[in-house]
Amino acid sequence: MTIKALVAATCVAAITASASSAAFAQAAAPAAAAAPAVTHGPALPGVCTVSVEGAIATSTVGKYVQTRLQQIATQVEAELKAEQTAIQNEAKTLEGQRATLDQNTFETRAAALQVKANAYQRKEQQRSRELQATQQKALGRVYQELTPIVSQVYQQRQCSLLINRESVVLSNPSMDISQPVVTALNAKITQFSFDRERLDQAAAPAATPAAAPATRK
């Protein structure tokens, strides 16, 4: 597996992993305290390990992306909650007026309310897709910044083989290049601006008819 493929394979999971890292560390603390100390054998010349997930999760830009994604998700949740509450209130009001409305009026208003509910469901699904697209694009940017750094540190440490640390049970810590990778990434970038991807706007140009060719005069 190339360095580029290694980074790509683990980049998407990095933010998710960092979100649960604190809880995992808390749960694992008692077991870690009771575990016997491990004595490692000599480092293997030319063999290096790296945790791409850990590097992204502990980097400044990785933490920023996680925080920003949470902010965007909170904004989406507030938007959807307000619309959902309005539909629920309208449904309760309509149900309360049912005895005083003629059947035709009630059914007409109920049908209109169902249209709103269906539109809300479609919006909810679209917002979910937009959040996924936003995460993928943000992590893609981190991936672009990280890939050359892993290659640079690999060469600086004169590695001949780079192994994904998540695939190894135990290894000599002196072979791990994750921390130099984090240090270099922090020096290169700490944050970048991004907002929620708008899939409806992205699809709009495709629906626009092609412009007629210009006529020469």
Side-chain angles (χ1 to χ4, degrees):
M1 179 180 285
T2 64
I3 291 175
K4 184 174 182 180
L6 171 65
V7 176
T10 56
C11 187
V12 174
I15 298 300
T16 303
S18 67
S20 59
S21 60
F24 176 80
Q26 241 180 355
V38 175
T39 301
H40 297 279
L44 301 177
V47 178
C48 300
T49 62
V50 66
S51 172
V52 176
E53 285 187 18
I56 294 177
T58 58
S59 68
T60 302
V61 68
K63 293 176 181 178
Y64 164 78
V65 167
Q66 181 185 4
T67 300
R68 179 62 183 141
L69 287 173
Q70 184 57 55
Q71 291 173 347
I72 295 173
T74 300
Q75 292 169 357
V76 169
E77 183 180 6
E79 173 197 358
L80 293 176
K81 183 64 177 177
E83 190 166 338
Q84 181 188 50
T85 300
I87 292 174
Q88 290 174 341
N89 290 340
E90 187 174 346
K92 290 178 182 178
T93 300
L94 180 60
E95 185 62 30
Q97 297 174 343
R98 184 169 191 167
T100 61
L101 295 175
D102 62 83
Q103 187 65 21
N104 184 60
T105 300
F106 177 81
E107 290 180 355
T108 299
R109 289 177 57 180
L113 182 59
Q114 186 61 53
V115 170
K116 290 183 181 180
N118 293 341
Y120 167 80
Q121 187 175 29
R122 289 193 298 271
K123 178 184 283 189
E124 186 179 35
Q125 293 170 349
Q126 178 170 306
R127 291 294 180 267
S128 178
R129 292 192 297 269
E130 288 175 344
L131 289 176
Q132 292 176 357
T134 303
Q135 182 182 28
Q136 290 174 357
K137 186 173 181 178
L139 288 176
R141 170 66 187 276
V142 178
Y143 157 72
Q144 290 177 348
E145 302 289 351
L146 183 64
T147 301
I149 290 176
V150 174
S151 299
Q152 291 165 9
V153 177
Y154 174 89
Q155 292 177 318
Q156 291 168 359
R157 293 299 181 94
Q158 298 183 332
C159 302
S160 300
L161 175 66
L162 183 61
I163 300 174
N164 182 4
R165 206 178 72 192
E166 275 69 41
S167 302
V168 179
V169 177
L170 289 172
S171 62
N172 191 314
S174 65
M175 299 190 300
D176 186 22
I177 65 171
S178 301
Q179 188 52 52
V181 167
V182 173
T183 300
L185 183 59
N186 287 345
K188 183 179 183 183
I189 186 172
T190 58
Q191 66 180 51
F192 56 92
S193 299
F194 68 92
D195 292 307
R196 189 185 86 229
E197 292 296 298
R198 309 293 176 125
L199 298 183
D200 49 349
Q201 293 181 4
T208 303
T215 305
R216 292 184 179 181
K217 296 182 178 181

